[in-house]
Amino acid sequence: MVELAEALEWAAGRGTGTLITLRSDGRAQSSDIAYVVDSDSMLISVTADRAKTANMRRDPRIVVHVSHPTSWSYVSFDALAELSPVAASTDDETVDRLVAYYETMRGEPHPDWDEYRQAMVDDKRLLVTVRPQSVVGMING
């Protein structure tokens, strides 16, 4: 059995996974995502007009599944999603958080922060904070 802290540490080295949300009729919807691990949570950048965002607004119960096929390792986090406000201004808190998200994900600054900040507003971006409640899976090395 994998522990939550161990699973988050393992997932931190991956950066991509699958987000599973619930449609209004209860069926699952999956989306490929990029994420960063932030202490005991994960962060995902999404746009306001996507189905996955609408699903999380209606029902914050989600699963984030991360796998590594060559080692037959995976973890699936049962979690709750917390959505930030949509980026509304290049200097608002959401955009500031998206800047930090970008730097963590890419490991370097963006070449044009003004352009990036404006794109976050134009795209109607927001951050999802994934709060894992439990995890299942296995880690093989």
Side-chain angles (χ1 to χ4, degrees):
M1 174 171 236
V2 63
E3 296 295 324
L4 190 55
E6 176 189 16
L8 280 166
E9 181 179 332
W10 182 83
R14 304 295 172 264
T16 59
T18 303
L19 171 66
I20 301 165
T21 61
L22 297 172
R23 295 178 174 127
S24 59
D25 65 3
R27 291 179 303 134
Q29 176 183 336
S30 63
S31 304
D32 291 341
I33 50 101
Y35 63 85
V36 298
V37 172
D38 182 31
S39 183
D40 61 352
S41 62
M42 302 166 93
L43 300 173
I44 304 168
S45 173
V46 299
T47 57
D49 58 353
R50 298 294 171 124
K52 64 182 161 240
T53 307
N55 291 344
M56 289 184 287
R57 279 195 180 106
R58 186 184 56 262
D59 187 337
R61 295 174 300 160
I62 62 172
V63 170
V64 175
H65 181 85
V66 180
S67 64
H68 191 266
T70 60
S71 69
W72 291 95
S73 297
Y74 75 94
V75 291
S76 285
F77 298 96
D78 287 312
L80 295 176
E82 296 174 7
L83 281 64
S84 75
V86 175
S89 169
T90 59
D91 62 351
D92 69 18
E93 182 181 349
T94 297
V95 174
D96 289 345
R97 291 183 64 208
L98 285 159
V99 164
Y101 171 86
Y102 178 95
E103 285 189 319
T104 301
M105 177 166 286
R106 296 295 299 253
E108 63 186 12
H110 189 277
D112 185 339
W113 282 122
D114 291 337
E115 176 187 25
Y116 178 85
R117 286 175 172 275
Q118 188 61 54
M120 297 302 97
V121 174
D122 293 346
D123 290 351
K124 298 179 183 155
R125 290 252 163 212
L126 61 141
L127 274 175
V128 178
T129 302
V130 176
R131 303 261 183 228
Q133 306 298 299
S134 63
V135 65
V136 296
M138 62 181 176
I139 298 172
N140 297 311

